[in-house]
Structure formats: C-alpha cells, structure tokens
Amino acid sequence: MDSVLVHAPATVSNVVCGFDCLGFALAEPFDEITVRRIAEREIRIIHHDEYKLPTDPAKNVAGVALRSMLDAIHADFGLEVEITKNIKPGSGIGSSSASSCGAVVAADRLLNTNFTKLQLADFAMNGEMLASGARHADNVAPCMFGGFTLVRSSEPLDIVELAYPELFTAVIHPQIEIKTSEARAILPADVPLAAAIKQWSNLGSLVAALAKGDLPLLARSLEDGIVEPVRKRLIPRFDELKEASMAAGALGGGISGSGPSVFMLAESEGTARRIAEAMTGVYADSGIDFNVHVSPIVGEGVEVVE
Amino acid sequence: MDSVLVHAPATVSNVVCGFDCLGFALAEPFDEITVRRIAEREIRIIHHDEYKLPTDPAKNVAGVALRSMLDAIHADFGLEVEITKNIKPGSGIGSSSASSCGAVVAADRLLNTNFTKLQLADFAMNGEMLASGARHADNVAPCMFGGFTLVRSSEPLDIVELAYPELFTAVIHPQIEIKTSEARAILPADVPLAAAIKQWSNLGSLVAALAKGDLPLLARSLEDGIVEPVRKRLIPRFDELKEASMAAGALGGGISGSGPSVFMLAESEGTARRIAEAMTGVYADSGIDFNVHVSPIVGEGVEVVE
C-alpha cells in the first residue's frame, strides 16, 4: 500500500449535561486525510484548503499526533500527510480531533501497526494538547469510535461506547471566534453541590434514555444548569436559537464543544431539517456569517476509504 | 378483600458515584405490612417489633404517607396498619421508605385505587419528608419499582428504571447511630467543578455498565470523590471494610444511604458471602454490634403477598 485515505467526521462534545465527557459523531462534514510513507525521518503536511493551518509538524495537531505514534514505534522513516479540511477550524465541532484522529488511523492502516482504537485515541490526544492545552478526549473519542461515547477518565484513558437509538442532529456554526481558553476561563472553579447533583442525575438519565431509546426521557434529561448559563453569553441569539429549535420539534440541544456551534437533536431527518430552517431564520438578519449542517448520528468514526 | 399484606424490601441508595439519585432493591430483609379498612376516619398504627416507633400517625412515616393518599381520594373512612419491621430503623438501608412504600401499595390494592407506581412513590415521599426533612426519592424509588432506579428529578418526580445484570450485595450494619441531618450537614455546599465532572463521568459510565452488563467497567466506575471522603469518618473501620471486601472479590461499594451501613457489590452469591465474611472479620473485635445481610438485587419492589 502506497497511501491510505480516510474520512474523519465532525463531532459534537459536551452534549448539554455531559460536559467534558459525552460526545457523538456526525456523518458529515468530514475531513479527507491521506497519509503516505516517505524515506526522510520527518513529517510533511500539505493542506488543500483555505484555512492557512500551520504546516510545521510541531505546530500542527496531525503532526503532533503522528510524531507521538512514530516515536512509539521507533520509526526510522517519515510520513507525508495531505489534509482537505471540510470541518472549519474553530467551529466547535471537533476540527482538530478530526485531523489528529484521521492522521493516526490512516498511518496505522498504512504501516500495519494494528494499534487498538484506544491506543490511537491516546496518540490523537497529543494533538488536542497542542490545540487546547489539555489532553482531552471528548471529541477524540466519538471521532475514533463513532456513535455516542463517554470518556470516563482521560488519564488513564477509559472510553465507553454507549448504546443509542436512531437520531439526527442540526448544527449551526455562527462564524465568530470563541477561543477555547476563554470559554474555559469563564467557567466557575466551584459549583453548588445541589447543581452538581442535578447535573449528574440528568447525565445518568440521558445515558439510560439513549440505551432504552426513550426519546421523551432523553428530552427531559437535556438540561444543563452549570455550563450553558455561563457560556451562552458568548453565542449571539443562543436563547432564540434554542426556542425556535424546540418549536420546530427538537428534543433538546445546546452548545457544541466550547462553541460557537449550537446543535439540536431530532428523532427524524425531516425534523432536523425543519430545525435547521428555524435556526437559519434566527440568524438570517444577524449580520453574522453562518452555515448549517444536518446529519444522522453514525456508528462509524474515522473511516478508511482506500 | 378485608386486608392486604405486602413485603417491602430494604434498599441501598446513593451507590457510590450516584449520590442523591441512584438506588437498588434487595430481596431481604423486608418489612411485613398489613393494611385494613376501618370505619373511623383515622389511621391506626400497630407495631409488632421492638423498635418503639411512634404510633401517632402524624409522627409515623407510614401514617403520613397514608394520610396524603387518603386525602387525595377524599376518603370518609380510615385505615389500620400493622407493621413488622425487619429492617432496623436508622440502619441506612431504607427502613422508613419500606414502611411508607409498603403502606401505600397495600392501601392501593385494598381500596382498588389503581394509582401508578409513580403516584404511590409521590405519596411515600411524604413519609420521607417526616423522616429526613426532605421529599427524597432515592430509597422510595427502588423500594417501589425494584431493581436499580435513578431519580432524575424529585419535583416533579421523574424515576428511571435502569437495565442491570445479575448482581449480589453484601451489607454490614454497624449498630451505631448516624443522624441523617448530621450526615447532610458535613457535606460541602460547593464542590470543585473538576471533582463534579469526574463524578458525573463515573455515574454516566456506571449507568452504561449496568445496561451492558460490563462488570469490569462497573467496577472502574464505582468511585466517589465527593461524598465518601467526607462521610466515611462517621463509620468506624470504613477503609478496612472496603479493603477486605475488595480482597474478597467485591466489584466495589461504599456507604449505603447516609450510613452507617456499608454495601459491596458482587457478581455471584458465593463472592457476596465471602465479602460478608471478610466484613465480619473486620468488625469482629470492634466492640460494636453489627449484622450482615447477603442478597441478590431483585427486580421487584414492594410485593403484594395476600
């Protein structure tokens, strides 16, 4: 095999009451990533997009993830990576995770190293370290495993694949910049125990609702009294987006990752499309550029295409 | 029907990382409760045990629960309740919930009022209000529904019946007094957000592990960084109990309710018996009276016997 092409999906992390642990994978958008072996002991990065992401492998999430993988196998060769990003950097739907997960999955297939998904997720988390300053797996996990995932622990890494019913999502990406560091900085250091109990009761209930396919329970569980009240101020018209989406039949939803994207869950593709229209209506006269995605939640993470 | 006899099981609430929402029902011990209709518009309580619980219905949990039920149906008659308590009051395995749940289930059957379990749980919670000063459902829910339950919300009451695999529990009841009010008072008002995230990641994972029947994941999820570190000081030899239980094959465990009972989960009855022996060994020379129960976790809550 000379090269391997993979598709690495966008992902939504946090998922309302599942802050810092829950996430799910979308069918689209996805990044296209090709990896090939080169004789030189270096990592070369080629971007086929307009985003001007760094090509210095030490400053690129895919480069950092691949470096940790090559070091682990004591490689005496290098890799060339071509990335076509369809997931806009900074959108809050796992753009950096898609790059790092896609790169390591492609390299693993190319080199026949047969790492487990958990090991590959661990390499990819080094990319997250570069992107956000922490070895988070909340987007890496759903990107690698697909479907709904729960990160029980980052160190040591423990990822739980959750059972879930057929679900669709509508995501709006307002093209404003929210720095992950800023979104982190405004979080409270401490929370009232009562609020924490409410949050974990909802999260436990959400996991049960997904396993049972109980959509009314899922809807009742999609409540966040800790992070959303603080972060929604960073997203123009957040309350209006939510209100219009609920009126259009959304089960619930909230901020994707640390924003600015906002996602809503729906039980059918038709409803997800109506939600996307409702979101579009809210943003139409906002003066803010935006785009909207509708996608099923899919069981496959990074997919090896050829 | 002249009278109805029910068995109302002991329950374990909190369940390590599931503070204030999770609970499960035991096959034994259980209270035996008989309710019969009387012409007088009053509630009469007769105890067949040594515990000297109040017989004034306004000061008795079963009396308060039944009163709220009779008021709801505008009854122009009364009820007589005979209670044989096998679950020691103050043990931390849902003694008050067994009285109140048992009484309302028996009355519902006697009077053919056909309330739902959720409505009956709501009446029983008035008994909890008397017992602990709050309308908590964490023992009421598993006592009423059986199995593992999660209380998503107390007001309005929202109870989730969880899927779970075959499991056994060993419970030791050191006969010391811990007041629920004291156990509440030592809890912190606020908790670090990082600790709360860890707790809800574990709870989400625990619910998933129960649904999957994934016992190694269940074991990894049984971790409590918020309540146990504070409350275990109220229970002599808590760390030794846990250590000996883990060595005997326990999946994990912790304080039952607000204590003083300590429970451990096991995948087989044999292991639960070995854990019970290990716990007995820890307490043998403590100078504290104690008793030990071994029971499967059962799917039935209050059972109508005749």
Side-chain angles (χ1 to χ4, degrees), chain A residues 17-21 150-153 158-163 184 187-205 207-209 211-212 217 220-221 223 226-227, chain B residues 17-21 150-153 158-163 184 187-205 207-209 211-212 217 220-221 223 226-227:
Chain A
C17 51
F19 181 68
D20 250 18
C21 62
L150 187 145
V151 182
R152 194 192 68 77
S153 159
D158 194 358
I159 294 170
V160 184
E161 294 184 77
L162 301 179
R184 284 246 151 215
L187 294 178
D190 297 303
V191 295
L193 177 58
I197 291 168
K198 200 170 166 60
Q199 196 87 348
W200 67 58
S201 302
N202 274 316
L203 178 62
S205 174
V207 172
K212 288 168 179 257
L217 180 64
R220 296 198 299 279
S221 308
E223 207 182 18
I226 292 182
V227 176
Chain B
C17 52
F19 182 68
D20 250 16
C21 62
L150 187 146
V151 181
R152 194 193 67 78
S153 159
D158 196 357
I159 293 171
V160 184
E161 295 182 76
L162 302 178
R184 285 248 150 213
L187 294 178
D190 297 304
V191 296
L193 178 57
I197 291 168
K198 201 171 166 58
Q199 196 87 349
W200 69 57
S201 302
N202 274 316
L203 178 61
S205 174
V207 171
K212 287 167 178 260
L217 180 63
R220 297 199 299 279
S221 308
E223 208 182 16
I226 292 182
V227 176

Side-chain angles (χ1 to χ4, degrees), chain A residues 204-269:
Chain A
S205 174
L206 177 60
V207 172
L210 288 169
K212 288 168 179 257
D214 182 338
L215 298 185
L217 180 64
L218 180 81
R220 296 198 299 279
S221 308
L222 288 170
E223 207 182 18
D224 172 9
I226 292 182
V227 176
E228 181 178 295
V230 180
R231 283 191 170 170
K232 70 179 187 178
R233 291 182 267 122
L234 303 175
I235 300 167
R237 304 190 181 188
F238 177 84
D239 287 334
E240 293 90 322
L241 281 175
K242 199 160 178 179
E243 205 175 310
S245 299
M246 296 307 285
L251 295 164
I255 303 167
S256 175
S258 54
S261 286
V262 173
F263 79 98
M264 291 287 152
L265 292 174
E267 62 189 302
S268 73
E269 188 172 354

Side-chain angles (χ1 to χ4, degrees), chain B residues 3-281:
Chain B
S3 69
V4 169
L5 167 66
V6 301
H7 289 173
T11 50
V12 167
S13 69
N14 293 342
V15 194
V16 194
C17 52
F19 182 68
D20 250 16
C21 62
L22 209 58
F24 61 79
L26 280 61
E28 50 188 322
F30 54 81
D31 288 349
E32 297 157 84
I33 299 170
T34 302
V35 173
R36 61 181 65 84
R37 184 173 167 145
I38 55 176
E40 298 82 358
R41 298 173 75 150
E42 64 181 32
I43 292 168
R44 261 183 239 148
I45 294 166
I46 302 163
H47 285 117
H48 297 294
D49 49 55
E50 73 219 64
Y51 302 121
K52 302 189 173 60
L53 291 168
T55 52
D56 175 352
K59 293 178 180 161
N60 178 291
V61 295
V64 169
L66 287 175
R67 180 78 274 154
S68 65
M69 186 177 169
L70 289 184
D71 288 349
I73 59 169
H74 308 290
D76 60 357
F77 54 86
L79 294 170
E80 183 180 83
V81 194
E82 282 186 75
I83 304 177
T84 303
K85 280 214 91 62
N86 303 307
I87 309 167
K88 292 195 183 184
S91 53
I93 51 171
S95 182
S96 62
S97 294
S99 292
S100 52
C101 288
V104 296
V105 169
D108 179 64
R109 178 61 71 95
L110 179 74
L111 305 173
N112 285 312
T113 35
N114 290 312
F115 285 111
T116 64
K117 284 187 177 184
L118 198 68
Q119 289 171 314
L120 292 171
D122 208 279
F123 293 132
M125 284 166 75
N126 296 318
E128 291 297 272
M129 179 74 197
L130 177 74
S132 71
R135 277 178 44 88
H136 278 294
D138 24 350
N139 286 97
V140 164
C143 188
M144 189 63 76
F145 289 86
F148 266 89
T149 56
L150 187 146
V151 181
R152 194 193 67 78
S153 159
S154 301
E155 306 287 352
L157 186 57
D158 196 357
I159 293 171
V160 184
E161 295 182 76
L162 302 178
Y164 64 97
E166 186 177 55
L167 280 172
F168 295 81
T169 187
V171 183
I172 183 168
H173 172 209
Q175 291 176 26
I176 57 170
E177 191 188 2
I178 296 181
K179 286 197 189 303
T180 303
S181 54
E182 183 195 357
R184 285 248 150 213
I186 60 171
L187 294 178
D190 297 304
V191 296
L193 178 57
I197 291 168
K198 201 171 166 58
Q199 196 87 349
W200 69 57
S201 302
N202 274 316
L203 178 61
S205 174
L206 177 60
V207 171
L210 287 170
K212 287 167 178 260
D214 182 338
L215 298 185
L217 180 63
L218 180 80
R220 297 199 299 279
S221 308
L222 288 169
E223 208 182 16
D224 171 10
I226 292 182
V227 176
E228 182 177 295
V230 181
R231 283 192 169 170
K232 70 179 185 179
R233 291 181 268 120
L234 302 175
I235 300 167
R237 304 190 181 187
F238 177 84
D239 287 336
E240 293 90 326
L241 281 174
K242 200 161 177 177
E243 205 175 309
S245 299
M246 297 307 285
L251 295 164
I255 303 167
S256 175
S258 53
S261 285
V262 173
F263 78 98
M264 291 287 151
L265 292 174
E267 61 188 301
S268 73
E269 188 171 354
T271 304
R273 294 209 175 281
R274 279 191 291 281
I275 295 165
E277 281 165 30
M279 286 172 148
T280 300

